[in-house]
Amino acid sequence: MDFAFAQSANEKLVHQDSKHRFTMRSTLVVILAASLGLLVGSQLQDTLAIFSERPAIAAPVPQAATRATTRKWALIEHRPEGPAVPCPSQAAVVFTAGQSNAANSVGHRSVARHEVYSMYASRCYRAVGAMPGAEGRLGSIWPSVGDQMIEAGIAKAVIFVNAAMGGTGIAQWDEGDLGEYLAVRLAAVPTIDYVLWHQGEYDIAMPAQEYARHLSAVIRTIRSATRARILIAQASRCGPGASESEILIAQRSVVDPSRGIYAGPNTDGIDEMGDRYDDCHFSEQGARKASRLWVKSLLAAH
């Protein structure tokens, strides 16, 4: 009986001690989480500062509560790697968006030869390697596109504003928070001459009618911010399979020059040996071909 009482008392003490230690650990976790929350919150505020520097614009700016949903995308934007330089006074401003082949996924980092720049947080940078604003840290086709635009006489200088995110589907750019992100990024640019849209590889299983519905909504988002010419690439190829005709049909269906919507290049045709380093993303060779096709489409729209 004395042994049972002693055992019960001992278990009670152990339980109280465990409860005390659990309470202490919980308190420490709460304090640590709060501290991390302050740190992360500060970092997020710093990231959102890129949106607070925009000049006066005519397009409506989403409310702060809406802008908060774009934070995760702002956090993965590639940041400028070199010093800011003066923006050219006369330049064609080209806004690029879509998924990885419009982002920084090219297997070669190129350097623009002419007056080609990228704009980020209202500052200009030489177009070199990965372009700020888009996702990824590899190369981009846009420095080469800018060079060829100048050589073709489309512009004396070119400024790219990049907002492409790899691995994203058309529904995210419509009904998801990427639609809000796109609206914020567009609103940050006072003047845009061209919007180049390259997306579709993610959605190869989507019916043409459904894809066209989402793409039409994306175009409305663009139109709410700018009267720029919009060029829609025909793109569905990613992997060893063939092109997906349903997606290409949907992309062609929205083209309407009377509304300033033009056909971009059919990049699915860039499929020779060595054009894509992983059957999806462009190599240096493939990027040169894609650049020429984009400039050909720009000349037709211009």
Side-chain angles (χ1 to χ4, degrees):
M1 195 68 159
D2 292 340
F3 173 77
F5 175 80
Q7 185 179 30
S8 175
N10 184 59
E11 289 175 350
K12 184 176 181 180
L13 289 172
V14 169
H15 174 72
Q16 290 176 340
D17 181 61
S18 298
K19 184 177 180 181
H20 175 71
R21 282 182 291 172
F22 175 77
T23 303
M24 290 294 293
R25 284 197 300 267
S26 299
T27 303
L28 288 173
V29 168
V30 171
I31 294 172
L32 179 59
S35 300
L36 287 173
L38 290 173
L39 175 60
V40 172
S42 175
Q43 291 173 334
L44 291 177
Q45 290 301 321
D46 290 343
T47 301
L48 285 178
I50 65 172
F51 296 132
S52 66
E53 298 179 18
R54 55 175 168 266
I57 52 175
V61 179
Q63 297 177 354
T66 301
R67 287 171 51 195
T69 65
T70 70
R71 291 177 179 178
K72 67 179 181 182
W73 301 108
L75 286 171
I76 62 175
E77 294 168 354
H78 184 67
R79 302 304 175 90
E81 297 181 0
V85 297
C87 295
S89 58
Q90 294 184 342
V93 179
V94 182
F95 189 98
T96 69
Q99 61 180 108
S100 57
N101 277 322
N104 298 313
S105 66
V106 175
H108 171 77
R109 281 189 157 206
S110 60
V111 177
R113 302 184 306 276
H114 302 306
E115 297 298 303
V116 184
Y117 304 85
S118 59
M119 180 181 285
Y120 187 79
S122 302
R123 296 181 177 87
C124 285
Y125 302 84
R126 299 292 302 189
V128 176
M131 300 286 267
E135 176 269 338
R137 299 182 61 82
L138 299 179
S140 169
I141 68 170
W142 305 123
S144 176
V145 171
D147 277 340
Q148 293 183 47
M149 287 177 66
I150 293 170
E151 291 165 1
I154 296 175
K156 294 181 179 179
V158 182
I159 298 173
F160 285 97
V161 182
N162 307 285
M165 294 289 166
T168 54
I170 189 66
Q172 291 174 271
W173 291 93
D174 171 15
E175 299 168 348
D177 52 16
L178 271 173
E180 297 166 359
Y181 172 80
L182 178 63
V184 170
R185 292 298 308 276
L186 286 164
V189 189
T191 302
I192 301 173
D193 297 295
Y194 302 96
V195 176
L196 309 186
W197 176 261
H198 181 125
Q199 192 279 334
E201 298 93 334
Y202 182 90
D203 297 300
I204 57 173
M206 185 176 289
Q209 187 174 6
E210 183 180 354
Y211 186 94
R213 175 175 61 82
H214 288 303
L215 182 55
S216 296
V218 172
I219 291 172
R220 287 194 295 272
T221 297
I222 296 170
R223 269 287 167 262
S224 69
T226 177
R227 303 307 301 171
R229 294 178 175 91
I230 303 171
L231 278 72
I232 306 295
Q234 297 169 56
S236 73
R237 187 182 185 281
C238 186
S243 298
E244 177 48 61
S245 60
E246 287 279 301
I247 299 301
L248 302 185
I249 290 170
Q251 290 161 341
R252 288 193 294 267
S253 73
V254 301
V255 172
D256 184 356
S258 68
R259 297 169 51 220
I261 307 168
Y262 300 87
N266 183 339
T267 60
D268 280 11
I270 304 173
D271 61 355
E272 294 182 354
M273 182 70 71
D275 283 345
R276 302 180 188 238
Y277 60 84
D278 59 357
D279 281 332
C280 182
H281 302 104
F282 299 131
S283 63
E284 180 180 7
Q285 171 183 302
R288 285 197 300 268
K289 294 181 179 181
S291 299
R292 288 195 293 269
L293 290 176
W294 268 115
V295 173
K296 184 178 180 180
S297 296
L298 282 162
L299 281 168
H302 183 70

